[in-house]
Amino acid sequence: MAMTTVDQYLSAADHAMQQGQPPLALQLLMAALAAFPEHPDILSRLAIDAYRRGAMREAIAYFERALAVDESPGNRCNLAMALCDVDRYASALQTIQALSERQCEDPLIQFTAARAWRGTGNPERALRAISRAIDAAPEDADFRLLRAQISVDQDHWDSALTDIAAVPVLRLSPFQHYRLCGLLMQTGQFTRAMPEYRALVARAPAYAEAWLGLAAACERANDLDGMQDALTRVQVLPLNSAQHAGVNQMQGKLASRRNDNTSACRFLGAAYEADVSDPLWKSQVGFDYGQCLDKVGRYAEAWQVFNAAHATRNRIKTDAAGDHQALDFFALLRVPVSGHWPALAAPADHRPDPVFVVGFPRSGTTLLEQILDARDGLVSFDEQPYLPKTLLALQNDGIVYPSELAALDAQKREQLRNYYFKQTEALVPERDGRRLVDKNPLNWARVPLIRALFPQAKIILALRHPCDVILSCYMQNLRSTVLGGAFSDFGRIADLYIAMADYWQALMPKLDLPVLVSRYENLVQDPEASTREIAAFLDLPWDAGWLDNSTHARNKAIIHTPSYAQVMQPLNTKAMGRWRHYRPYLDAAVMAQLEPAVLAMGYSLD
């Protein structure tokens, strides 16, 4: 029967799709367009057909033509969604913004606007938009997953985990399930991510990215046999070039974990040279590859790769919030430190005050934590933002930090102590009288708060040669830290170290609190003398177990910092003096600015 109406053509195309004949459906749609040129319904269907085939440029062209003849909300939303899918966020925002402001209650429009706002670097607007979508459709998995991702972008892990918990896992599509697994990895929920990945590959065994995700989760959990099994499974699948590059990356990381750095460089080099369009992935492979080049002594190449990895991340950085947080942190370090420390009696709650392990990132704080966590009477909870959140609670009460700490009354101190300890119960529900070990390096800048709330606390300051510390930070993908842009290049990391050193020099003479300086170099060269000193400082008995950090770390399995692989190894001096290999490439002006801080911390540039 000859077709004479648009509805007849569309119905026939629908029937062809239902019969498993996509080519016929496309042929019918093209015939419809010839009979009814620029009809918006036909253009929209052609756009959706192209979208399903992954022909995004074609889909966007059809969506644009449909919108040109029919500016309906559906056509505008479809175009903006497709633009987001190809990372054209500015164009997507231009397409959807006015509509989202007019139709605040439409969840799909708000979801699309949230994607565009996030992509253009405005997480606050993105959060408002996606929250409106969730208010209208609280059980929608895509909405929850996007809000969780926005929260992760801002290091608001508690909010992210709340949304993750609300995701209906049993009703997820494989792609949604994959996104959920990725969020669990980003929030450090490695033990939960692994069974979710395993459930995903069981239901979608041909999903190559899911197998690669499982391999990554196993690596973070130090399950190298599980990692090898996942890689064996994925390699029998038909892989595209990007997936093949992902396999090379994981093979390289596995070889590196097994100390076969020659093979690791070969795999990671192949991944790094692959023609993959995802810049975030490309930059991460750069960090992996650079670290492997460093291990085999190819320092000039490593330096070039690290520079390229940072440059890629800097080009695609979508959010200035990290820079704002870094500026706020720098401002905190420049606040004059009061010399007035009122005498503080022991708190009435009789809970032992924690041991705080502080320092600059990559100074050996994770190593110290593992040593302490293995001791009877002590328990750590890995790197958590419990003290920063307590500081935020104090500031939200209108108390100016640090100038008004001296005016805290007993009731407010007790309230803040309770808030801190309540947070720790999430990971240490049964303390059994054990003293908490709070290891969070940048609590070094929050020592006045420790002094105000925990007058019987003890502080271990981890120090390491500043040049080794800054270089090590530069070699890591630390961009998810709260400081964000402060780790965007070598010079900015040096600026932060200088600010921290200056702050400490001003604070130390005024601080009425026991502090032990533990130097990384001493710890790895003479572990017995160093650990005896720590034991005496904490009034703990010393035995030979203090010298075995790696067994406890292996038994613990999940360690949530970039040092998770290093602390599995026995104490060694491999990382000492690494910066000297890179001295020919370090900016002379940066080194001149850094020298006073190096000297102040007890080191030299010789």
Side-chain angles (χ1 to χ4, degrees):
M1 182 182 71
M3 287 176 279
T4 59
T5 68
V6 171
D7 286 343
Q8 287 176 330
Y9 276 107
L10 296 181
S11 295
D14 286 341
H15 182 73
M17 287 296 294
Q18 292 167 5
Q19 297 300 312
Q21 297 178 297
L24 177 58
L26 178 58
Q27 182 181 347
L28 289 166
L29 290 173
M30 294 303 297
L33 187 63
F36 300 94
E38 303 306 298
H39 192 286
D41 291 346
I42 298 171
L43 290 167
S44 294
R45 290 291 296 277
L46 282 165
I48 292 170
D49 176 83
Y51 190 94
R52 287 171 176 165
R53 290 185 281 111
M56 295 304 298
R57 185 175 300 177
E58 182 182 344
I60 288 170
Y62 280 129
F63 277 136
E64 288 175 336
R65 288 169 63 182
L67 183 61
V69 294
D70 178 11
E71 294 194 2
S72 67
N75 284 337
R76 189 169 292 279
C77 191
N78 283 338
L79 173 59
M81 190 78 75
L83 290 167
C84 286
D85 286 342
V86 295
D87 299 337
R88 291 173 57 185
Y89 296 109
S91 297
L93 186 60
Q94 185 178 10
T95 302
I96 199 71
Q97 182 177 356
L99 178 64
S100 70
E101 292 169 355
R102 291 196 306 270
Q103 298 195 21
C104 293
E105 305 306 317
D106 187 301
L108 188 58
I109 291 171
Q110 294 304 315
F111 169 71
T112 308
R115 292 187 66 193
W117 281 119
R118 175 177 178 254
T120 51
N122 195 322
E124 292 82 9
R125 294 291 296 269
L127 190 59
R128 287 203 295 272
I130 194 59
S131 295
R132 292 191 192 109
I134 291 173
D135 288 343
E139 295 187 0
D140 189 286
D142 284 322
F143 299 171
R144 290 283 184 180
L145 290 168
L146 179 58
R147 190 164 72 176
Q149 185 64 66
I150 294 168
S151 296
V152 168
D153 293 343
Q154 299 298 103
D155 285 341
H156 298 157
W157 287 15
D158 288 347
S159 298
L161 291 172
T162 298
D163 275 321
I164 288 171
V167 171
V169 177
L170 296 179
R171 300 202 301 269
L172 297 182
S173 70
F175 179 68
Q176 290 171 328
H177 202 168
Y178 176 71
R179 290 179 60 201
L180 173 66
C181 291
L183 284 165
L184 290 170
M185 290 286 287
Q186 289 180 280
T187 52
Q189 308 298 299
F190 306 119
T191 52
R192 184 181 167 195
M194 288 177 65
E196 290 295 344
Y197 273 123
R198 294 192 188 282
L200 175 55
V201 296
R203 65 184 288 220
Y207 198 163
E209 283 81 1
W211 285 108
L212 291 172
L214 175 58
C218 289
E219 193 267 341
R220 280 302 273 109
N222 297 297
D223 178 9
L224 301 188
D225 290 338
M227 185 183 186
Q228 178 66 76
D229 180 67
L231 290 174
T232 300
R233 301 292 188 91
V234 74
Q235 288 181 90
V236 302
L237 300 176
L239 303 176
N240 61 34
S241 58
Q243 293 164 343
H244 186 69
V247 170
N248 277 331
Q249 181 197 19
M250 288 294 105
Q251 289 278 36
K253 290 176 75 70
L254 178 59
S256 179
R257 292 296 302 274
R258 290 174 169 169
N259 295 316
D260 182 2
N261 292 309
T262 300
S263 297
C265 281
R266 184 176 71 254
F267 283 120
L268 290 168
Y272 185 69
E273 297 298 332
D275 185 16
V276 177
S277 60
D278 182 355
L280 280 172
W281 180 87
K282 190 81 170 181
S283 65
Q284 180 57 63
V285 172
F287 287 107
D288 294 338
Y289 184 36
Q291 291 167 26
C292 193
L293 290 169
D294 173 83
K295 290 178 181 177
V296 297
R298 294 161 61 180
Y299 304 116
E301 294 173 77
W303 185 250
Q304 291 177 350
V305 171
F306 289 132
N307 288 341
H310 279 282
T312 299
R313 288 301 302 264
N314 292 340
R315 282 195 301 271
I316 62 175
K317 187 173 66 173
T318 60
D319 175 26
D323 285 332
H324 295 158
Q325 290 173 323
L327 292 174
D328 290 345
F329 198 85
F330 276 97
L332 176 66
L333 297 175
R334 296 188 179 109
V335 174
V337 179
S338 171
H340 176 57
W341 299 100
L344 296 176
D349 56 28
H350 303 299
R351 288 175 294 200
D353 288 348
V355 176
F356 290 90
V357 179
V358 303
F360 203 84
R362 310 298 296 168
S363 291
T365 55
T366 301
L367 174 59
L368 283 170
E369 179 197 24
Q370 294 308 304
I371 292 172
L372 296 177
D373 190 53
R375 311 277 71 82
D376 290 339
L378 299 177
V379 59
S380 74
F381 42 73
D382 214 342
E383 196 166 305
Q384 299 293 333
Y386 297 150
L387 193 66
K389 287 183 178 180
T390 305
L391 174 56
L392 182 62
L394 177 145
Q395 293 172 320
N396 287 340
D397 284 343
I399 300 168
V400 179
Y401 178 83
S403 60
E404 294 183 359
L405 285 177
L408 287 180
D409 59 29
Q411 182 179 2
K412 176 57 65 176
R413 284 179 55 217
E414 190 65 18
Q415 177 185 341
L416 291 168
R417 283 174 60 88
N418 287 337
Y419 178 72
Y420 172 88
F421 283 120
K422 183 67 175 177
Q423 294 177 81
T424 69
E425 291 172 4
L427 291 179
V428 190
E430 300 293 337
R431 287 175 57 184
D432 299 325
R434 293 174 295 175
R435 192 172 191 176
L436 294 173
V437 176
D438 185 334
K439 188 273 294 187
N440 191 319
L442 291 177
N443 281 342
W444 194 11
R446 303 179 184 97
V447 169
L449 181 63
I450 295 173
R451 171 62 176 79
L453 301 183
F454 306 103
Q456 296 179 327
K458 292 191 175 183
I459 296 174
I460 299 178
L461 171 61
L463 289 184
R464 182 183 175 194
H465 195 295
C467 295
D468 273 335
V469 167
I470 296 165
L471 175 65
S472 186
C473 287
Y474 190 65
M475 293 169 64
Q476 309 293 324
N477 186 9
L478 295 177
R479 313 307 276 299
S480 63
T481 68
V482 70
L483 294 180
F487 292 91
S488 59
D489 63 58
F490 190 91
R492 290 202 73 181
I493 303 171
D495 288 342
L496 180 60
Y497 193 97
I498 292 167
M500 289 291 297
D502 290 346
Y503 175 82
W504 182 246
Q505 293 301 306
L507 175 64
M508 184 171 54
K510 305 173 183 178
L511 184 63
D512 176 22
L513 204 62
V515 177
L516 174 69
V517 173
S518 175
R519 295 187 184 273
Y520 175 83
E521 295 82 2
N522 294 344
L523 184 58
V524 298
Q525 288 181 306
D526 191 349
E528 180 171 342
S530 294
T531 55
R532 282 185 180 276
E533 185 179 23
I534 295 170
F537 178 69
L538 299 178
D539 299 318
L540 294 174
W542 185 93
D543 58 48
W546 282 80
L547 304 178
D548 180 14
N549 68 293
S550 57
T551 298
H552 179 72
R554 285 193 296 271
N555 292 336
K556 191 171 183 180
I558 300 296
I559 296 171
H560 295 79
T561 69
S563 304
Y564 67 94
Q566 291 94 318
V567 296
M568 299 291 163
Q569 303 171 4
L571 292 173
N572 61 77
T573 61
K574 293 178 183 178
M576 275 184 53
R578 176 190 281 142
W579 71 275
R580 292 185 172 85
H581 298 302
Y582 294 88
R583 188 161 192 170
Y585 320 116
L586 302 180
D587 185 280
V590 171
M591 297 301 288
Q593 288 181 314
L594 184 61
E595 186 169 18
V598 172
L599 297 174
M601 293 294 104
Y603 295 92
S604 76
L605 294 181
D606 295 335

